[in-house]
Amino acid sequence: MDEKAPEKLNRRRTLQSKRVDIPPVKDRHGRSPKVSHLPPELVREIIKLATNTFPSPFSVHRFNLDPSASPFSFVSSADQALERGLHSQSLLIKGALSLVCKEWNVLTTEFLFNSVRITRKDQIKQLWEAFESRRSRLREARDGPGCAAWSVRVLWVDDEVPRTERISPDLCPEGPSLLDFVVRCRHIIVFRGFGARVHSPLLKTANLLPVLSGIVRSTQNPLWALDEEEQKEFAEHKSEALMPSEHVELEFYIEDLHEMTMFLKPPNTDSLDAIKVLKLHSTDTFAPLRSVKTRLRLPNLVELHLAKLGAIQAAVTFIMPSLTKVVCELIPKEKQVDLVTFLVIHGEGLKELSLRMPVQDLSMIRLTCPQLRRLDIAFDNSVFAHKSIQALGIYNLPDILRTNPERLLELIAGFPSLRVVQDSDWKSSTIRDHNFTYWERKESHEWRKIWRDFVEGLPKGIELVGWRGRPVVIQPDLEPSSP
């Protein structure tokens, strides 16, 4: 036996003997307080913070259409995988908290069902049964404000899962359809379908169009699917005052412009005023624009995301008087003629423009977008001037700083109103923070010098921020400790 073993054992016993048992907290009546005795407002905040797996200041919860709540791109496959993981992690926490006690089970409803992600059709039936179970426990005659069905704000139809894990809809033909689900969940404000395949057994275009129309109808008239008796009952309880009309965010895939016309043109929808954010995925190209006979009017559309060339070709024909923000991606340089056409038609009122791919001619932005306040680009050493841009985001900032930072500083010098330069890629910001934390590594020292030289080279009054919008603070290198 090791001679030092008794000494270690005695030391452990000494530490154990010094351990102090903290007495349990009790109230003035000598009783231990229970979790359920906390005020409901405090419990709600605990649940909200505990289930929010998104990095601050963003949030996994969507109670309104604030676009700053979700930090991830709607087209990048890497970002989609990360968001799926964070969403699943949040759902696990929500499920655990709902089992704490009866009171917490009720209070978690608005968070547990806030964002619903459907990957198989049998999940619709399972959710339907969960709605019925909660309603029966609360002894409610029908769905209403505060119920599980009306707590659904985000419907995420995600078919981007391995084929072996998917369940064919033929296996549960008796279950409710996706349209039935939408009609029941009449407070949906966000529909996401970015993972859906073109010929998906879960989400076919023929079935998608009435679903999207149902979401638009519900937000403009939450009582549109009720019969006369139900409408009379809700009117007696003044439920209409609790359900004001809302705007919606729609994200889906289209194969041709005719599909957009089918969905958006009356009588399939009562009004297009509801659509505030629209995110379109498409094939690489559509039919020539001269074949378009109908121009779709979206009077309240503020934000538009376009992935691939066909989406831009469709958007060229839209009438969007309130449009202020556009995001474009997956458009090769040699096919950017339609991007120029789009900016010529819709660029005059834009305040924000994000181009997540190299652009053939950045100088067109100065001519087509005179009121631009924010620009995000993948910089490829093209320099131009713009007098109104106040914030410049760079998606490939580390690569530029390593290869040609002088060219980027030349671009910044052409923006007299610029106040902020942002590292727009979350991966880049994460790596930079890692290098700042582990300062003793040789590679970290080199990167800190690169970032420090860039910050010191920025004109006075311009600040560098990370992808979260927070200032980048570069600590000075620590002196090596003396032996």
Side-chain angles (χ1 to χ4, degrees), residues 229-439:
E229 182 179 351
E230 290 174 326
Q231 290 186 14
K232 182 178 179 181
E233 179 180 343
F234 278 110
E236 291 176 355
H237 290 83
K238 300 182 179 180
S239 295
E240 293 186 12
L242 301 175
M243 302 180 297
S245 60
E246 298 182 280
H247 292 99
V248 295
E249 172 185 320
L250 302 181
E251 177 178 356
F252 56 95
Y253 187 101
I254 56 173
E255 292 186 274
D256 56 58
L257 188 57
H258 179 61
E259 292 181 354
M260 284 290 297
T261 306
M262 287 172 55
F263 158 54
L264 293 174
K265 187 177 67 174
N268 287 333
T269 57
D270 294 334
S271 173
L272 302 184
D273 298 351
I275 304 178
K276 185 176 182 180
V277 181
L278 183 61
K279 301 181 179 181
L280 292 181
H281 305 253
S282 71
T283 55
D284 289 332
T285 185
F286 280 171
L289 294 180
R290 61 177 178 271
S291 64
V292 176
K293 299 180 180 180
T294 304
R295 297 194 65 187
L296 305 173
R297 184 173 181 84
L298 305 165
N300 292 322
L301 187 68
V302 175
E303 184 175 339
L304 179 64
H305 293 236
L306 304 169
K308 291 196 175 182
L309 188 60
I312 286 189
Q313 291 176 333
V316 166
T317 66
F318 297 167
I319 300 176
M320 304 173 287
S322 303
L323 186 66
T324 59
K325 179 178 179 178
V326 171
V327 179
C328 296
E329 186 161 351
L330 303 178
I331 305 170
K333 274 188 174 183
E334 61 274 11
K335 296 183 179 181
Q336 292 181 0
V337 176
D338 291 294
L339 174 60
V340 177
T341 304
F342 174 84
L343 292 178
V344 168
I345 297 175
H346 301 294
E348 185 175 0
L350 289 184
K351 305 295 182 183
E352 299 182 42
L353 177 62
S354 177
L355 304 172
R356 295 181 60 91
M357 69 283 173
V359 179
Q360 191 170 15
D361 183 16
L362 282 174
S363 62
M364 66 173 179
I365 297 176
R366 177 175 57 85
L367 301 175
T368 58
C369 309
Q371 303 182 47
L372 205 62
R373 298 291 182 268
R374 178 180 179 85
L375 174 66
D376 292 89
I377 56 174
F379 186 61
D380 63 348
N381 297 323
S382 300
V383 176
F384 71 103
H386 200 293
K387 64 180 181 179
S388 65
I389 292 179
Q390 301 175 0
L392 175 65
I394 307 294
Y395 289 113
N396 56 342
L397 185 55
D399 297 336
I400 298 300
L401 295 185
R402 201 182 255 283
T403 57
N404 196 357
E406 295 81 9
R407 191 66 171 172
L408 178 57
L409 291 173
E410 185 178 347
L411 172 68
I412 292 173
F415 300 154
S417 302
L418 192 65
R419 294 295 176 264
V420 173
V421 175
Q422 185 170 21
D423 184 3
S424 298
D425 185 16
W426 68 268
K427 297 178 184 178
S428 168
S429 294
T430 303
I431 295 174
R432 184 188 61 250
D433 294 341
H434 183 273
N435 289 329
F436 289 176
T437 302
Y438 300 97
W439 59 271

Side-chain angles (χ1 to χ4, degrees), residues 46-47 50-51 92-101 104-105 108:
I46 293 174
I47 297 173
T51 58
L92 289 175
I93 301 174
K94 293 172 182 177
L97 293 178
S98 68
L99 300 177
V100 171
C101 61
W104 281 43
N105 185 274
T108 55

Side-chain angles (χ1 to χ4, degrees), residues 33-75:
K34 298 181 180 180
V35 175
S36 59
H37 289 172
L38 293 173
E41 297 81 5
L42 180 58
V43 174
R44 184 183 181 278
E45 289 301 315
I46 293 174
I47 297 173
K48 181 179 179 180
L49 293 175
T51 58
N52 192 9
T53 52
F54 275 19
S56 176
F58 307 107
S59 176
V60 71
H61 310 117
R62 295 294 297 273
F63 298 104
N64 52 52
L65 276 187
D66 182 7
S68 62
S70 180
F72 302 107
S73 165
F74 79 115
V75 288

